[in-house]
Amino acid sequence: MHRIVGIIGGMGPEATVDLMRRVVAKTPARDDQDHIHLIVESNPKIPSRIAHLIEGTGDDPTPELIRIAANLQRAGADALAIPCNTAHAYAHSIRRAVSIPLLDMVGLSVDQIAHSRRAARVGLLASTAVHTTELFSRALSAQGIDTVLPAHQDEVMALIKAVKQGDAGTETQAALGRLALETANHADVLLIGCSELSVISAGITVPFVDSLDVLAHAIVTFAKSDAVEQNLRR
């Protein structure tokens, strides 16, 4: 029997579906019963993290995130996952509200870079909210790694918005590829720290770590392995 993972989704919907697709692709299976049991609440009505964290004009999404997390635990989830890097700014509050662990996409991604790559500088492609809250930069700094930000953050945000509006086509992918190549000139490896950018990451032609892919791998490992502690950040 596999452990069950609850997904706090909808931030955004495309990224949530992409995470599920990646979990299916990474799961060794011969039949339906071999796949991972996911309980998903994809709720795009969760208050904007950017409006709350950066603009200071939006409602606090914490109560809704906690409500979903508690519902997923009651529904039988053994762990939680959030396919939104920015929402990890609220991870501490979510952990305090439930008794099951949260698979931390930010921490797991940084751990992968620190343990498997010789990188002194990481080029971070993420939302402005991720940069402002320093979710990744603090974790990277703790590992002795510098964070390199893209020269054209406005273009990065435009691509994130495009994906949220349903544009994940080849032109959008190519545009991300150009930004990635430009940022890679100043870094040892790239980190995709926004799940909308993960959706269009096929356009990137330089080495990179994809936080959504890291989370998908962690979900499969958690669900199929007894070594729970290796994949959790409490």
Side-chain angles (χ1 to χ4, degrees):
M1 296 294 293
H2 294 160
R3 295 183 181 88
I4 301 169
V5 178
I7 308 296
I8 303 176
M11 303 175 286
E14 188 77 30
T16 302
V17 172
D18 194 18
L19 173 66
M20 296 171 66
R21 180 189 62 78
R22 294 178 190 223
V23 168
V24 170
K26 290 179 180 294
T27 303
R30 292 176 294 180
D31 205 344
D32 292 347
Q33 287 73 24
D34 296 324
H35 283 280
I36 308 302
H37 186 167
L38 301 175
I39 305 174
V40 182
E41 179 164 344
S42 184
N43 181 5
K45 309 304 182 186
I46 297 171
S48 168
R49 285 67 59 202
I50 292 176
H52 181 248
L53 291 169
I54 307 305
E55 299 169 1
T57 59
D59 293 337
D60 185 352
T62 303
E64 186 65 7
L65 291 169
I66 288 174
R67 182 194 68 79
I68 295 171
N71 281 351
L72 291 170
Q73 179 173 351
R74 283 193 293 270
D78 299 301
L80 299 172
I82 311 174
C84 172
N85 289 279
T86 305
H88 281 69
Y90 307 94
H92 178 66
S93 297
I94 294 170
R95 289 190 185 99
R96 292 179 61 185
V98 296
S99 59
I100 57 177
L102 172 67
L103 297 169
D104 187 329
M105 177 160 56
V106 173
L108 289 165
S109 298
V110 171
D111 285 349
Q112 178 168 315
I113 291 173
H115 296 153
S116 65
R117 296 176 179 270
R118 296 178 180 177
R121 303 168 302 162
V122 170
L124 178 59
L125 295 174
S127 74
T128 302
V130 166
H131 295 322
T132 302
T133 55
E134 300 182 331
L135 283 172
F136 277 105
S137 60
R138 286 199 307 268
L140 288 166
S141 179
Q143 298 282 0
I145 301 171
D146 293 331
T147 302
V148 176
L149 303 184
H152 303 288
Q153 180 62 19
D154 58 332
E155 295 181 21
V156 175
M157 290 303 294
L159 292 178
I160 293 171
K161 185 175 182 179
V163 175
K164 287 183 179 293
Q165 293 174 343
D167 180 7
T170 55
E171 290 186 8
T172 307
Q173 294 175 23
L176 178 60
R178 290 191 292 270
L179 288 170
L181 184 60
E182 180 182 86
T183 306
N185 289 331
H186 308 282
D188 301 311
V189 67
L190 292 182
L191 171 59
I192 306 303
C194 173
S195 51
E196 270 72 43
L197 298 180
S198 297
V199 172
I200 55 174
S201 61
I204 301 176
T205 58
V206 293
F208 68 98
V209 171
D210 188 332
S211 59
L212 196 67
D213 210 52
V214 171
L215 182 59
H217 178 76
I219 289 171
V220 174
T221 302
F222 171 83
K224 296 179 70 68
S225 173
D226 291 332
V228 179
E229 292 80 8
Q230 295 178 8
N231 302 287
L232 306 184
R233 297 181 64 88
R234 289 183 177 272

